[in-house]
Amino acid sequence: MNPTTILSFGLPALIAWSLIDDFEKARISRGLSPQVELDQPDAIELVDTTTPATVALPEPPKPKSFEERKARLIEVLADHRLTPIWELRNATPIRFTGWQRSGKSTKAHTLALLRQIDDRSHPVTVCTPHPVTPGDKAWSSSFSTCGAGNQWEEIKGTIDRLMARLGEGNTTPHTTIFDEFSGYGGKVGPDGYIQELMLSAVREMAKHNEMLILIAHGDTMAMNGNIKGLSAAMWGNFVTVCCNRILRDGKPYPSPKITIGGGGFPDCSLVWPEWFTPEWLLENFPELEEITPQRVTPAIPNLGFMPSVASKPLVANSPQGV
């Protein structure tokens, strides 16, 4: 470019041109190219095609162990003020009373499952004479069940075996649930048969870890084995769970409020939440459904080994009688 033309742009442009001209002349005098060649940067590779990338997937969370879930269950029950229900797992004898559709069987079912959660070797036998009807919920597959459809011989066989365990001095825990118990009188044996069972419940079962649960509608003569004059003394030795019901649009539903007392158990009232069901426990402890229940067989002959306790005095509010 002509210096005169550059000068038309002003003095700064002339000075800049002079410096560049001197720089180029100096490079030429040293045998170098008047233009400076700049090094090009290496290309940026978005993906490394030489070595495949390996991404380590996180390990799936390990399922909590049975004991960890059990510990969490105890915490959940405490958070909802249901610790008395957990403590009932060691109580015997127990009776659930209340109107139809007050949730007696469901609550007894839940308690029996808590016992199996506490000890998976704990056997549970359920005697229920009424036939299965639409809407009825099945007992857990970990339980032995018998008597459906008024099969009284099967129920009598269960009572015989229970009494045999007492006579043999067995101390292995075993839960037996008698549903609709007020209807047993005259169906499973002579008049003294149920009386012997009831007196043994008061005298012997706590000593031998026989965990008896009775389900019935209330304090009827049939419920206490037709033992006249001993109702107060009899039921004072049982832990009683009183259930109630509420009506919605004229239909009965279980009331969430229950009371517990008797048999030396501290009196208390609590709210039984709707989620606290056998289904909820089995969902969280599916291992229970892997338990093989004991086989139920028909009645066995009574050879006279049933312990006789009728002659012993009966004291109210004493779990074992003194």
Side-chain angles (χ1 to χ4, degrees):
M1 184 177 291
N2 191 305
T4 304
T5 304
I6 294 175
L7 185 60
S8 65
F9 291 102
L11 182 61
L14 180 62
I15 295 172
W17 176 83
S18 176
L19 291 174
I20 293 174
D21 187 60
D22 291 343
F23 176 75
E24 290 178 348
K25 289 178 179 179
R27 286 182 60 83
I28 292 172
S29 66
R30 293 199 301 271
L32 299 175
S33 171
Q35 302 296 327
V36 179
E37 296 178 357
L38 300 176
D39 294 334
Q40 296 295 320
D42 295 333
I44 299 175
E45 296 182 353
L46 300 179
V47 179
D48 185 0
T49 58
T50 58
T51 305
T54 57
V55 179
L57 296 175
E59 294 185 2
K62 295 181 179 179
K64 291 185 176 181
S65 69
F66 191 95
E67 290 302 317
E68 288 174 328
R69 281 175 280 140
K70 174 182 169 181
R72 177 55 183 154
L73 170 65
I74 297 173
E75 292 177 355
V76 170
L77 295 180
D79 291 342
H80 290 80
R81 300 182 180 181
L82 295 173
T83 298
I85 303 300
W86 176 252
E87 293 174 346
L88 280 177
R89 75 193 189 284
N90 293 320
T92 187
I94 299 175
R95 62 176 184 148
F96 284 80
T97 67
W99 298 94
Q100 280 188 327
R101 300 298 178 184
S102 60
K104 302 182 299 297
S105 297
T106 299
K107 293 175 175 64
H109 189 169
T110 303
L111 174 58
L113 285 174
L114 289 180
R115 290 175 174 177
Q116 290 192 326
I117 291 172
D118 193 36
D119 178 7
R120 277 183 278 180
S121 66
H122 189 111
V124 176
T125 303
V126 180
C127 296
T128 177
H130 63 75
V132 178
T133 58
D136 287 348
K137 295 181 180 179
W139 295 91
S140 170
S141 61
S142 61
F143 299 172
S144 300
T145 58
C146 68
N150 296 318
Q151 298 296 319
W152 294 107
E153 282 299 309
E154 292 182 356
I155 296 175
K156 183 178 185 300
T158 298
I159 297 175
D160 288 342
R161 281 183 291 278
L162 186 158
M163 300 300 289
R165 291 193 297 270
L166 294 178
E168 294 165 359
N170 177 72
T171 57
T172 302
H174 189 130
T175 288
T176 304
I177 300 175
F178 290 120
D179 195 9
E180 303 290 347
F181 184 71
S182 57
Y184 285 27
K187 304 288 183 60
V188 294
D191 291 341
Y193 191 79
I194 295 298
Q195 292 182 14
E196 197 76 26
L197 171 66
M198 297 300 292
L199 291 173
S200 294
V202 173
R203 291 289 185 187
E204 308 293 333
M205 292 191 184
K207 301 174 185 176
H208 298 280
N209 292 319
E210 282 292 341
M211 319 302 283
L212 180 67
I213 297 178
L214 306 181
I215 303 174
H217 298 304
D219 297 343
T220 63
M221 284 295 293
M223 185 70 172
N224 62 23
N226 293 318
I227 305 176
K228 297 180 180 179
L230 289 179
S231 294
M234 177 66 67
W235 297 130
N237 286 271
F238 276 70
V239 178
T240 299
V241 181
C242 293
C243 308
N244 210 332
R245 69 182 184 186
I246 56 178
L247 298 179
R248 297 173 183 167
D249 195 23
K251 295 182 179 181
Y253 294 90
S255 169
K257 186 176 181 179
I258 67 169
T259 59
I260 307 174
F265 199 87
D267 293 347
C268 64
S269 297
L270 54 85
V271 174
W272 191 295
E274 290 186 2
W275 53 261
F276 190 35
T277 62
E279 291 78 14
W280 182 78
L281 289 176
L282 291 171
E283 179 182 350
N284 287 278
F285 297 89
E287 296 91 338
L288 297 183
E289 298 187 279
E290 300 173 4
I291 297 175
T292 302
Q294 295 185 351
R295 187 169 63 93
V296 176
T297 56
I300 58 176
N302 185 345
L303 302 181
F305 51 73
M306 293 172 63
S308 177
V309 296
S311 61
K312 299 178 182 179
L314 186 66
V315 178
N317 297 317
S318 173
Q320 299 177 0
V322 292

